Amino acid sequence: MNRQHLIETERPLTELKGVGPQTVLKLNDLGLYTMSDIILHLPYRYEDETVININEAPDGEKITVTGEIYSTPRVSYFGRSKSKIMFHMLVDGVAIRVEYFNQPYIKHQVVIGERATVTGKWQRSKQIIQGSKFHKEAASSETALVPQYSLKGLIKPKQFQKFVEQSMQVTDITPMIPDYLAQKYKLWDLKQSLQVLHFPEDTNALRQAKRTFAFCELFLFQLKMRMLNQNEHQAGLSVSIDYDINAVKSFIETLPFELTAAQKQVVNEIFRDIKLPMRMNRLLQGDVGSGKTVVAAIAMYALLTAAYQSALMVPTEILAEQHAESLTELYGDKVRVALLTSSVKGKRRRLLLEQLAAGDIDVLVGTHALIQDEVVFNRLGLVITDEQHRFGVNQRKRLREKGEHANVLFMTATPIPRTLAISVFGEMDVSSIKELPKGRKPIETTWAKHEEMPIVLSKTRDEIAKGRQAYVICPLIEASEKLDVQNAVEVYETFKGHFGRVGLLHGRMSSEEKDMVMEQFSNHELDVLVSTTVVEVGVNVPNATMMIIIDAERFGLSTLHQLRGRVGRSSHQSYCILISNPSTETGMERMQIMCQTTDGFLLSEKDLEMRGPGDFFGVKQSGLPDFKVANIVEDYRMLEVARDEASEIILSGKIDEPENKWLKKRMLLEVSSLEID
């Protein structure tokens, strides 16, 4: 996503004093090209160097104190580049020793009888400060918050602050929220907030500056989402699908199972949308195995009764084939289902495209192949994207635009926390399925150490003896596909030594090889499937009842839950065993949480808290902004307020009032910049 232009004025860096060609290149390396970039390059944290009384200093913490030097500094050397300087000070009536490592030049600044200020880690039991900073003069008693910038060692912090100071003096910084909102929520103007963020006076001022800037970020993003939502609805005005409700009810009655209450609710929400004279733009999120595909099948059947076609796009060929097969089985001869992937070629492909354009295909299931220019629908009324975060914004848009007024349904098996859904999918309506189909038993999850592998193998042997199957997932050790494969091969050899029919999947295999192994596992020609995480293992194998995850602490909670959901797809009791020797408290907490609950929505909230929004999906989510100050987890209440205010300004028409002309102009630019892959 393009960076947010919170400052309209753009002035070149060459206008700054002290910025020559070499410095310009260094600033460019930091992604800074104009003075507004300099101003918006905010500190990532602040170090509190306020002088405190050493008698009140917390043990083991970093502190700043002022005192009088009363001993000659001594320097000890250890090898060529290692050294330690030591001297004594009297601080608040307490005699302490000060040590600095690898800073021998400080010796010339340490003078007996003079006062100085030192910053470092305080060890009360030894009466020692392990210093990090030294100032010859005594510091004042005022608050000293020192901004810490990400400068990669290219620019010195004090030099950068001089550039900020100059930029602030000559840059016209306009307000980014309407005056009435600033007054309503007691917010500062943007210039004052930026000034304090770079040059904090005290903790209260910094808190208010952060609050103001965070609200600006959240409000502008939510306003952008509301405008996108409005554009979606306006683009689909006058569209109403007049489906045959009686035919749909008859189809539902033929299903081999009864819909859950959650499925019925979501079906009704979708039907209300497609009846309205505007395009549906809905996200359907449901836990693994909650029955989203059945809901999609009912929606597509409803479109068929109104003489409309539907398209279902999924991220992999294996999943596309599975969906096509399950839909064909579900519909029988009532619906004409076709499959389009890159493997469909030649005469077969040409015939399929001709049938599609003629309206002889009702439901087309496929991968990215669906968005090719040659794919032309006769009357596309519904577009469904499964695991929608795996596709870019433009890919989803291109599929949608193959229908003149196509309704849009996105599906994801990654339960999304409410705070993240509001932020990322603010332009969509959100439906959730939080109930598993009847007859499904909760998956029993246990945590085992590596040394307990013999017990795990015994448990696996018991399941295979019952005619069941097992997945074994190996993590990506580091950013190396080669090491990833080596790890998988080692695990494969281990299981091969205990079980006869074991298959292996990894990223270096060809698509044909992967499909063959996956098909063998689906057909129960293999008892155990060892796979790396680079391979999609989402094929539905109801007979698989064991999920073993090696080095489970390397995964986030949502990923672990996704993997666990590959089993438990039948009435048989299923098990998930996490093999892990976590070395951190976070790793241990993940294992404990996984064993305590199978609620994907609760886990997603915990995952968001522990990992943050950037890594939540495992891939960078298109549309998720990189906020500079705001945090959608910590600031969720502010996020909801910002969303309500953004909705109000759009729905009330205030966005079109003369005093908000600048805001609308900025938002139109932002909305147009969002359409990227």
Side-chain angles (χ1 to χ4, degrees):
M1 178 177 160
N2 292 351
R3 68 181 180 83
Q4 291 176 303
H5 294 277
L6 292 173
I7 301 174
E8 196 160 0
T9 309
E10 298 288 0
R11 299 180 68 125
L13 298 174
T14 49
E15 291 184 17
L16 294 170
K17 292 179 183 178
V19 175
Q22 292 301 315
T23 305
V24 167
L25 289 175
K26 290 178 181 178
L27 290 168
N28 290 169
D29 284 346
L30 294 169
L32 311 176
Y33 299 91
T34 65
M35 288 192 196
S36 63
D37 290 337
I38 293 279
I39 295 170
L40 290 173
H41 192 68
L42 300 177
Y44 62 88
R45 65 180 174 87
Y46 301 83
E47 286 194 357
D48 189 349
E49 295 185 6
T50 305
V51 174
I52 64 172
N53 189 303
I54 200 163
N55 295 291
E56 300 171 357
D59 185 33
E61 296 292 323
K62 193 173 186 179
I63 64 170
T64 299
V65 295
T66 292
E68 182 180 323
I69 300 166
Y70 71 84
S71 77
T72 302
R74 292 186 312 189
V75 181
S76 305
Y77 290 93
F78 311 93
R80 289 184 178 180
S81 58
K82 295 181 180 180
S83 66
K84 181 175 80 170
I85 180 172
M86 184 271 291
F87 57 91
H88 294 85
M89 291 178 67
L90 188 64
V91 179
D92 301 318
V94 179
I96 67 167
R97 191 168 83 200
V98 183
E99 298 177 346
Y100 286 89
F101 288 90
N102 304 320
Q103 299 181 61
Y105 54 85
I106 290 177
K107 176 182 178 181
H108 304 292
Q109 302 174 38
V110 178
V111 180
I112 293 178
E114 290 191 356
R115 292 185 67 79
T117 300
V118 298
T119 298
K121 184 178 180 181
W122 172 233
Q123 297 181 34
R124 182 178 296 279
S125 61
K126 297 180 180 179
Q127 300 291 87
I128 293 176
I129 286 183
Q130 289 186 331
S132 57
K133 290 185 179 180
F134 178 88
H135 298 287
K136 284 186 69 174
E137 66 283 346
S140 69
S141 59
E142 296 177 0
T143 301
L145 296 171
V146 182
Q148 304 296 305
Y149 295 93
S150 177
L151 299 173
K152 300 179 182 178
L154 299 172
I155 306 285
K156 291 183 178 180
K158 287 186 177 179
Q159 183 185 21
F160 183 76
Q161 281 206 308
K162 288 180 180 178
F163 297 155
V164 173
E165 200 168 12
Q166 290 183 60
S167 300
M168 292 284 290
Q169 290 172 357
V170 300
T171 302
D172 180 24
I173 301 175
T174 56
M176 282 294 97
I177 57 173
D179 289 340
Y180 76 90
L181 284 181
Q183 293 170 10
K184 182 177 180 180
Y185 296 107
K186 297 180 173 60
L187 303 174
W188 286 351
D189 66 61
L190 187 60
K191 185 164 187 175
Q192 182 184 8
S193 298
L194 287 165
Q195 179 71 28
V196 172
L197 287 170
H198 285 289
F199 308 98
E201 304 155 11
D202 54 54
T203 52
N204 289 332
L206 181 59
R207 190 180 300 114
Q208 176 66 357
K210 285 183 173 181
R211 179 173 172 268
T212 296
F213 198 90
F215 187 88
C216 282
E217 289 188 295
L218 295 172
F219 173 74
L220 291 178
F221 184 69
Q222 288 304 315
L223 192 59
K224 186 192 309 181
M225 293 294 98
R226 293 299 97 198
M227 290 189 73
L228 277 170
N229 194 20
Q230 186 183 53
N231 292 348
E232 288 291 332
H233 287 318
Q234 287 177 346
L237 286 176
S238 78
V239 175
S240 177
I241 306 295
D242 190 20
Y243 60 89
D244 186 338
I245 185 62
N246 292 323
V248 173
K249 286 181 177 178
S250 297
F251 169 66
I252 293 175
E253 288 173 1
T254 65
L255 295 175
F257 43 78
E258 184 182 348
L259 296 181
T260 64
Q263 286 174 314
K264 291 175 183 177
Q265 180 181 336
V266 173
V267 167
N268 288 331
E269 288 171 350
I270 292 170
F271 282 5
R272 279 196 296 270
D273 282 355
I274 62 179
K275 267 287 189 183
L276 292 173
M278 60 185 66
R279 172 186 288 156
M280 175 175 71
N281 196 36
R282 183 169 291 277
L283 170 71
L284 170 56
Q285 56 173 350
D287 218 336
V288 177
S290 61
K292 295 182 301 299
T293 306
V294 174
V295 170
I298 294 169
M300 291 188 287
Y301 189 82
L303 269 288
L304 167 64
T305 67
Y308 280 95
Q309 295 169 299
S310 298
L312 171 58
M313 183 166 70
V314 299
T316 67
E317 287 198 18
I318 296 174
L319 287 175
E321 290 168 4
Q322 180 192 324
H323 277 304
E325 289 173 9
S326 61
L327 286 172
T328 299
E329 184 178 344
L330 206 60
Y331 289 137
D333 57 4
K334 299 185 184 73
V335 182
R336 295 166 294 185
V337 180
L339 173 69
L340 180 61
T341 66
S342 57
S343 298
V344 180
K345 299 175 181 176
K347 184 177 179 181
R348 183 176 159 212
R349 187 183 188 90
R350 287 194 300 272
L351 178 61
L352 186 152
L353 295 176
E354 288 172 6
Q355 291 174 329
L356 185 69
D360 295 332
I361 291 173
D362 302 313
V363 172
L364 182 63
V365 182
T367 55
H368 298 77
L370 297 188
I371 63 176
Q372 301 300 316
D373 292 338
E374 62 181 349
V375 180
V376 179
F377 289 82
N378 181 274
R379 198 181 186 214
L380 182 61
L382 176 61
V383 168
I384 303 176
T385 309
D386 194 16
E387 292 305 324
Q388 61 88 35
H389 60 274
R390 299 277 292 272
F391 299 97
V393 176
N394 266 351
Q395 291 174 322
R396 303 195 300 257
K397 182 184 177 187
R398 284 176 64 185
L399 180 58
R400 181 190 71 204
E401 290 178 345
K402 287 188 177 291
E404 187 177 354
H405 298 293
N407 291 280
V408 178
L409 178 66
F410 299 110
M411 299 197 302
T412 179
T414 304
I416 301 165
R418 186 165 180 265
T419 49
L420 194 58
I422 289 173
S423 181
V424 181
F425 305 115
E427 82 281 14
M428 302 180 194
D429 297 307
V430 180
S431 294
S432 300
I433 301 179
K434 298 185 178 182
E435 182 182 1
L436 291 177
K438 292 180 180 178
R440 296 282 178 90
K441 297 177 181 177
I443 301 165
E444 290 184 13
T445 305
T446 53
W447 167 23
K449 302 290 182 67
H450 280 276
E451 52 268 30
E452 296 176 292
M453 182 60 83
I455 300 173
V456 176
L457 292 171
S458 176
K459 177 68 175 175
T460 306
R461 191 175 294 107
D462 290 344
E463 284 301 295
I464 290 176
K466 296 176 188 175
R468 312 286 175 248
Q469 294 165 272
Y471 289 102
V472 182
I473 304 298
C474 306
L476 181 68
I477 297 173
E478 55 185 68
S480 167
E481 190 178 77
K482 184 177 180 181
L483 286 174
D484 188 24
V485 172
Q486 287 175 347
N487 185 40
V489 170
E490 289 173 10
V491 174
Y492 168 74
E493 294 296 340
T494 298
F495 277 82
K496 186 77 172 171
H498 292 269
F499 309 100
R501 304 194 304 171
V502 181
L504 173 65
L505 275 176
H506 58 72
R508 292 194 171 185
M509 295 167 65
S510 67
S511 296
E512 291 77 14
E513 289 173 324
K514 293 175 192 174
D515 289 346
M516 182 181 71
V517 174
M518 203 64 241
E519 189 174 344
Q520 288 174 336
F521 189 63
S522 298
N523 295 336
H524 201 172
E525 295 169 24
L526 299 172
D527 294 320
V528 178
L529 177 64
V530 177
S531 173
T532 63
T533 54
V534 297
V535 178
E536 174 65 56
V537 292
V539 171
N540 188 22
V541 184
N543 193 52
T545 57
M546 284 283 290
M547 170 59 69
I548 301 167
I549 305 174
I550 310 293
D551 293 329
E553 76 279 2
R554 295 179 182 272
F555 301 97
L557 288 172
S558 292
T559 303
L560 289 171
H561 184 62
Q562 283 283 304
L563 292 169
R564 175 168 62 183
R566 302 309 173 202
V567 297
R569 294 175 173 241
S570 68
S571 59
H572 304 303
Q573 180 61 57
S574 290
Y575 307 89
C576 176
I577 302 178
L578 310 171
I579 309 295
S580 174
N581 289 50
S583 58
T584 64
E585 287 187 13
T586 300
M588 287 187 276
E589 187 180 355
R590 279 199 188 122
M591 298 306 102
Q592 289 164 354
I593 292 171
M594 283 296 295
C595 294
Q596 290 166 2
T597 182
T598 56
D599 184 338
F601 288 88
L602 174 62
L603 286 167
S604 71
E605 291 283 359
K606 290 285 186 183
D607 204 19
L608 187 58
E609 289 174 16
M610 295 171 75
R611 293 200 296 159
D615 295 328
F616 182 78
F617 289 106
V619 293
K620 185 66 176 177
Q621 167 65 45
S622 298
L624 179 61
D626 184 15
F627 293 125
K628 296 176 181 295
V629 173
N631 182 301
I632 64 172
V633 180
E634 297 173 4
D635 300 326
Y636 73 94
R637 287 190 178 89
M638 187 186 292
L639 174 68
E640 293 180 343
V641 170
R643 188 190 193 206
D644 292 342
E645 293 292 356
S647 296
E648 172 62 23
I649 200 171
I650 294 292
L651 296 174
S652 67
K654 287 181 182 177
I655 190 72
D656 295 314
E657 292 178 0
E659 60 265 34
N660 290 325
K661 183 178 179 181
W662 57 272
L663 184 59
K664 184 174 182 179
K665 176 185 174 184
R666 188 66 51 80
M667 284 301 99
L668 289 173
L669 288 172
E670 288 287 347
V671 168
S672 64
S673 74
L674 190 65
E675 293 299 337
I676 57 174
D677 283 333

